[in-house]
Amino acid sequence: MPRGRPPIMDLKTAYDVELSGSRIQHELWPLDEIDPRKAKFPCCLVWTPLPVVSWLAPFIGHVGICREAGAILDFSGSYFVNVEDFAFGAAARYVQLDREKCCFPPNLAGHKCKHGYQHEEFGTALTWDDALQLSMRHFEHKSYNLFTCNSYSFVANCLNRLCYEGSMDWNMITVAALILFKGQWVNSMSVGVFFQNPRLSIPDRHRPKILPRTG
């Protein structure tokens, strides 16, 4: 046996240990149940209508993405991402995503998506929450724009970082379509209250105050 070269059996053992460690690192633990009363939606996209606007165009609203424990994150203003304080009221629709459809590469050779170099350049993560945290930091330096950089942009950035469903083409339109076609209502009240009377869907903090007449 040449000097300095480890035995073949030792190499195989080391390789098996490395693979085993990778499996342990990416093991996905069970998620808690969705609990709308506590605003907990593990690994979900959530949507709430915008006052009046969503009443006229149901595909428009405000969206957020949730951590594995269920906390909602949403980009609702310049340099600011809400945590567990969903803007414009409680979630009305949600769609739970499958972590098995994400790409969590430990290194460039560990990509299971077809966008290895592109994904690496964009920014990868080892876990679901890690991806959301990286996108959150990115958007804490972003100016909010209703048309070009909004809550949908933030969610799309998270999905691209996750390479969800093997795609890095997530954008405002594809996120809206995902919620529109695959989302489900939280309960019957979410449907009826808003579309019967859009004013009822406006949270108190966003409603204009009507001052009593004087004189």
Side-chain angles (χ1 to χ4, degrees):
M1 180 182 298
R3 296 185 60 184
R5 178 180 296 179
I8 294 177
M9 287 298 295
D10 290 350
L11 286 176
K12 185 178 185 302
T13 302
Y15 182 68
D16 288 342
V17 170
E18 183 180 350
L19 287 180
S20 176
S22 179
R23 284 196 297 270
I24 293 172
Q25 185 179 24
H26 291 87
E27 184 178 356
L28 302 176
W29 56 85
L31 298 174
D32 291 335
E33 294 292 328
I34 292 171
D35 189 348
R37 290 176 299 177
K38 295 182 179 180
K40 298 296 184 183
F41 298 85
C43 293
C44 289
L45 303 188
V46 291
W47 177 93
T48 193
L50 289 174
V52 182
V53 177
S54 298
W55 187 52
L56 300 175
F59 55 89
I60 298 177
H62 183 75
V63 298
I65 187 168
C66 305
R67 290 172 173 161
E68 290 174 303
I72 302 174
L73 308 180
D74 66 297
F75 182 58
S76 57
S78 295
Y79 321 116
F80 181 70
V81 177
N82 270 325
V83 180
E84 294 193 288
D85 186 21
F86 199 30
F88 301 102
R93 287 173 69 86
Y94 70 93
V95 54
Q96 191 167 42
L97 305 184
D98 185 357
R99 290 172 297 171
E100 293 285 356
K101 296 181 179 180
C102 301
C103 179
F104 300 120
N107 48 55
L108 187 57
H111 285 265
K112 72 175 185 180
C113 66
K114 62 181 180 181
H115 305 288
Y117 287 102
Q118 181 185 357
H119 192 194
E120 199 73 25
E121 184 177 350
F122 184 87
T124 61
L126 293 176
T127 67
W128 175 279
D129 284 353
D130 185 31
L132 269 55
Q133 185 67 24
L134 291 172
S135 291
M136 184 175 176
R137 290 176 182 172
H138 179 67
F139 271 75
E140 285 174 346
H141 301 279
K142 289 279 190 178
S143 296
Y144 187 92
N145 184 291
L146 183 61
F147 302 103
T148 61
C149 188
N150 51 38
S151 61
Y152 288 86
S153 307
F154 171 66
V155 171
N157 186 275
C158 292
L159 295 181
N160 284 328
R161 201 175 297 276
L162 292 163
C163 202
Y164 188 69
E165 293 188 336
S167 174
M168 291 198 63
D169 296 322
W170 292 99
N171 54 46
M172 290 185 287
I173 296 174
T174 53
V175 169
L178 178 62
I179 296 173
L180 180 64
F181 295 113
K182 293 189 177 181
Q184 53 185 308
W185 294 98
V186 170
N187 51 45
S188 57
M189 290 293 291
S190 301
V191 185
V193 170
F194 180 77
F195 290 102
Q196 289 178 14
N197 187 349
R199 186 180 180 277
L200 295 179
S201 69
I202 305 176
D204 291 339
R205 64 179 181 273
H206 293 298
R207 292 182 183 176
K209 294 183 179 180
I210 301 177
L211 301 177
R213 293 183 179 180
T214 57

